[in-house]
Amino acid sequence: MAVTTVSGDQRARSVAEPVKRRTSGGRRTRSALLFLTPFALVFAAMMLAPIGYALYQSFFRVERSGLGLDPPTNVFAGFGNYLAALRDSAFTTSLLRVLLIGVVQVPVMLGLALLLALLLDSRVAVFKRTFRLIYFLPYALPGVIAAIMWSFLYQPGISPFTSALGHLGLGKVNLLSGNLVLASIGNMMTWGYTGFNMLILYSALQAIPREVIEAAVMDGCGGWRVAWHVKIPTVRPALILTAVFSIIGTAQLYNDPQILHQVAPAITSSYTPIMAAQQSAATNNYNYAATQSIILALLTFVMSFGFLKFTQRKEAQT
C-alpha cells in the first residue's frame, strides 16, 4: 500500500493559495469599484435624479385661487396628468407621427447603411478611406446646422429639388407641405445618420475572419451569396444594435422639425412629443410637461427593449 506524504511546505501552500486568490479577488473588486464610482455618481446626478424628479412632478398639478392673485399651490393629482395626456389629441398624434416615421425611416436607413458597408467591404471597392469619410461626413455636421441647410434646400422658389421635379413634369412640388413634410424630415434623418450606422456595420464586417469568406468563395459562392449567407448573418448583432440606437434616436426627434417649423406652416409647435413637452413647459405647466416626458420615455423603453427581446427570441429559435 502506497503512502503519500505531504511536506510542511506543501500544506502551507495549499492553505495560502485560497487566501491569496481571495485577496487578489478583493483587490480587483476594489479597483473596479474605484473606477466605476465616478461614472456612477455622474450617471445618478445627470440621468437618474432628473428622471426621478420628473416622475415625482408628474403626480402633482398646480392650483391657483383668488383670481390668480394668490400664490399657486402644488396638489397631488395621482394619475390625472397621465389621463389628460392620453386624452390630448395633439400629444397622441405627435406620438403616432414619430412612430410612423420610425417604422418607415429606420428600416430604409439601416438597409442603406448595410448596403454601403457591404460595398466598402467588397474586394472590388476602391478608395475605401475616401468613401468612408464621405459617408460619415453628414453625421459630423452639427444637427442644427444641417437642419438650417435643409430648410433652404426645401423652400419653394429656391429649392433645387423642386426645380428638378418640375423639369420631370411633376409640377410645383412643395416639400414643406402637410403631405410631404414628414417624408422631408425622414430624408434629413436618413442623410444625417446613415454614415454613422454604416461605420458600425463596416467595423463588424471587418471583424469577420477572412478564412470564413475564403472558404465560402472556394465552395463556389459569388459576391452576393457571400454577403447574404455569410456576412449579413455574422453582423446581425451589430445590425440589432444600430436598430436599437435608431429607435431611441427617432423618439428624440426635435432639431429637424423645430428648425423647419420656421419655414413650414404644417409643422405645429407640438409636432413631436418633445416639442409638445417643451410647449407645455413654455406655458409654465411643468407638471404636464414632466408627464409627457415620462410617457415618451416609457414608450421608448418598451419599444427598444421589446425589439431587443424579440430579436433574441428569433435568434434562439433559429
Side-chain angles (χ1 to χ4, degrees):
M1 177 177 178
V3 177
T4 304
T5 60
V6 180
S7 65
D9 292 342
Q10 288 175 332
R11 284 197 297 271
R13 281 198 296 272
S14 63
V15 173
E17 285 179 356
V19 175
K20 186 178 179 180
R21 284 198 294 270
R22 286 197 295 271
T23 304
S24 177
R27 191 181 299 116
R28 286 197 295 269
T29 302
R30 287 193 295 274
S31 300
L33 290 176
L34 181 64
F35 282 106
L36 289 176
T37 298
F39 168 77
L41 292 176
V42 174
F43 182 77
M46 299 297 175
M47 294 294 291
L48 297 182
I51 292 175
Y53 184 69
L55 184 63
Y56 171 77
Q57 288 291 329
S58 67
F59 288 106
F60 289 86
R61 70 170 182 270
V62 176
E63 282 191 356
R64 294 179 174 84
S65 59
L67 299 177
L69 298 177
D70 294 339
T73 57
N74 273 336
V75 296
F76 183 72
F79 289 96
N81 289 329
Y82 289 91
L83 294 176
L86 295 177
R87 291 170 183 165
D88 187 348
S89 60
F91 179 64
T92 54
T93 302
S94 69
L95 289 173
L96 293 175
R97 191 176 289 123
V98 169
L99 178 63
L100 174 63
I101 200 170
V103 169
V104 176
Q105 185 265 339
V106 170
V108 171
M109 176 181 64
L110 294 185
L112 187 58
L114 180 61
L115 177 62
L116 293 176
L118 288 172
L119 289 176
L120 283 180
D121 190 62
S122 65
R123 292 184 177 181
V124 297
V126 294
F127 307 118
K128 293 185 179 182
R129 291 184 179 180
T130 303
F131 282 105
R132 195 169 56 199
L133 178 62
I134 291 173
Y135 298 148
F136 185 74
L137 270 181
Y139 179 75
L141 196 66
V144 174
I145 301 300
I148 293 174
M149 181 191 73
W150 279 105
S151 68
F152 284 103
L153 292 175
Y154 283 153
Q155 282 195 50
I158 61 175
S159 170
F161 304 117
T162 302
S163 177
L165 293 174
H167 287 300
L168 293 176
L170 297 178
K172 295 182 179 178
V173 179
N174 184 3
L175 298 173
L176 298 177
S177 64
N179 295 329
L180 295 177
V181 70
L182 195 59
S184 301
I185 293 173
N187 174 62
M188 294 166 63
M189 296 171 65
T190 303
W191 182 82
Y193 293 98
T194 297
F196 170 76
N197 293 307
M198 180 274 302
L199 204 59
I200 295 177
L201 297 175
Y202 179 69
S203 301
L205 288 172
Q206 292 293 296
I208 299 176
R210 295 296 102 177
E211 296 82 1
V212 176
I213 298 175
E214 291 173 1
V217 173
M218 291 178 65
D219 287 341
C221 292
W224 286 111
R225 292 187 64 185
V226 170
W228 185 255
H229 294 289
V230 177
K231 292 184 178 180
I232 294 177
T234 307
V235 301
R236 185 179 297 170
L239 202 55
I240 294 172
L241 177 69
T242 54
V244 172
F245 284 168
S246 300
I247 291 172
I248 297 172
T250 303
Q252 298 174 350
L253 180 62
Y254 177 76
N255 287 338
D256 299 342
Q258 181 63 27
I259 297 298
L260 289 183
H261 174 57
Q262 311 297 326
V263 294
I267 298 179
T268 63
S269 55
S270 59
Y271 197 75
T272 67
I274 292 182
M275 292 174 67
Q278 188 187 41
Q279 186 190 23
S280 300
T283 57
N284 295 329
N285 197 350
Y286 298 108
N287 302 104
Y288 191 56
T291 304
Q292 292 173 318
S293 303
I294 292 296
I295 291 175
L296 176 62
L298 286 175
L299 290 178
T300 305
F301 173 78
V302 168
M303 291 182 64
S304 56
F305 188 73
F307 175 79
L308 196 60
K309 297 302 292 184
F310 173 76
T311 53
Q312 287 177 347
R313 183 174 300 176
K314 283 292 183 183
E315 285 186 349
Q317 291 176 351
T318 56

